[in-house]
Amino acid sequence: MLEINRLSVKYGAYTAISNVTIEVGQGDFVVLLGSNGAGKSTTFKAISGLQKPSEGEIVFEGTPIQGLSPDRIVQSGIVQCAEGRKLFPQMTVYENLTMGAYVHRKKKKVIKQSIEEVYDLFPILHEKKEDAAGSLSGGQQQMLAIGRALMAKPKLMLLDEPSIGLAPLIVEQMFDVIQKINKDGTTILLAEQNANAALKIADRGYVFENGSIVVEGTSEELFTNEAVRKAYIGA
Ligand code: ATP
């Protein structure tokens, strides 16, 4: 579904990622692991069209997408759920969700049905639909960010550190829902520092270090890999 071949991205003269190759199949759940600054977000920015690659290609469903504008990439079916959430804090939960359906804005019925699906996944968003997004707790805002991304009906959803700053119990609930979204048919590419939680639900993963991929494998292989355990799991 998504093939990233020998991708490099520079910020000015600084090479943030180099020679990155990643494959995500239809229906897969793939995780990118790595510490702060290792290059996960830069990879996402390149996929979403926010950062132009200096080398390499990104192919989605057989079509090269590098160089396309971010809105064309959303239309092709790739939607990123941003780190830091980037909601509209003054607007209600409901209004934030409808903003997520911008690409489907002419299809009122589709939007209504998508909202019901999001409410089914996150009942708390239904309860708080008239509340301002800014009044929600951190976990609820993250749920709203995921819900808003789902409103665009993505084929591939990019999730950048959804667990950041959340209590362990909330992280667990969040990851359960992400797993359900994947089981319901959305392909997932997740960037995480929380390797322990992520490897429990992902099929495969890639480990970034200093802008390059140093290890890749199934979740089980990564979980039992000595170096990965030492660096990202502990014990
Ligand atoms: P994080 O979890 O902090 O987002 P990350 O693995 O996603 O980490 P990136 O944000 O992709 O890492 O950063 C990769 C490298 O590129 C880092 O060295 C970072 O300092 C650098 N970098 C990121 N954004 C910029 C920018 N806009 N200008 C210059 N350098 C940048």
Side-chain angles (χ1 to χ4, degrees):
M1 180 182 225
L2 179 76
E3 290 160 46
I4 300 177
N5 298 318
R6 308 177 76 80
L7 186 74
S8 299
V9 176
K10 290 182 176 180
Y11 296 110
Y14 176 73
T15 303
I17 58 169
S18 138
N19 207 18
V20 164
T21 294
I22 291 172
E23 206 181 319
V24 182
Q26 168 93 42
D28 278 1
F29 192 137
V30 176
V31 62
L32 308 182
L33 301 173
S35 48
N36 253 333
K40 308 179 299 298
S41 300
T42 299
T43 305
F44 275 12
K45 280 185 198 149
I47 301 170
S48 306
L50 298 169
Q51 197 68 45
K52 251 200 154 95
S54 55
E55 275 171 69
E57 59 170 7
I58 305 172
V59 180
F60 183 60
E61 295 191 315
T63 308
I65 57 164
Q66 76 275 11
L68 291 186
S69 66
D71 64 309
R72 287 282 303 280
I73 291 175
V74 170
Q75 273 165 15
S76 78
I78 301 179
V79 175
Q80 174 159 359
C81 177
E83 185 180 13
R85 283 136 219 174
K86 302 208 173 82
L87 298 166
F88 303 104
Q90 321 282 358
M91 289 167 66
T92 66
V93 165
Y94 173 82
E95 287 165 341
N96 268 277
L97 288 174
T98 55
M99 295 298 283
Y102 185 75
V103 280
H104 303 294
R105 61 194 174 283
K106 297 209 175 91
K107 303 176 222 155
K108 292 255 154 39
K109 253 198 185 145
V110 173
I111 295 178
K112 201 159 172 260
Q113 190 199 339
S114 304
I115 290 204
E116 292 307 323
E117 285 168 13
V118 170
Y119 287 159
D120 277 349
L121 276 176
F122 301 109
I124 189 74
L125 297 182
H126 184 243
E127 238 169 79
K128 299 201 172 246
K129 63 183 180 196
E130 299 302 337
D131 292 10
S135 72
L136 303 183
S137 72
Q140 291 162 356
Q141 290 194 23
Q142 185 58 52
M143 291 173 198
L144 179 53
I146 295 174
R148 195 177 59 174
L150 279 175
M151 291 295 296
K153 296 204 163 293
K155 295 177 189 165
L156 169 65
M157 180 143 86
L158 310 177
L159 285 155
D160 198 352
E161 309 232 13
S163 76
I164 212 158
L166 302 182
L169 189 65
I170 308 289
V171 172
E172 217 172 283
Q173 290 170 0
M174 181 84 58
F175 277 27
D176 281 349
V177 178
I178 296 171
Q179 190 169 31
K180 181 159 190 315
I181 292 168
N182 176 244
K183 292 232 155 79
D184 288 347
T186 308
T187 306
I188 305 273
L189 185 59
L190 165 74
E192 259 299 332
Q193 292 192 47
N194 188 339
N196 211 355
L199 289 176
K200 277 188 195 144
I201 54 170
D203 305 313
R204 290 185 299 113
Y206 297 82
V207 180
F208 274 80
E209 250 173 55
N210 300 320
S212 298
I213 289 167
V214 289
V215 189
E216 62 176 277
T218 63
S219 292
E220 201 175 319
E221 283 163 354
L222 295 180
F223 205 78
T224 50
N225 178 302
E226 189 83 13
V228 174
R229 286 195 77 84
K230 257 198 196 138
Y232 303 103
I233 299 171

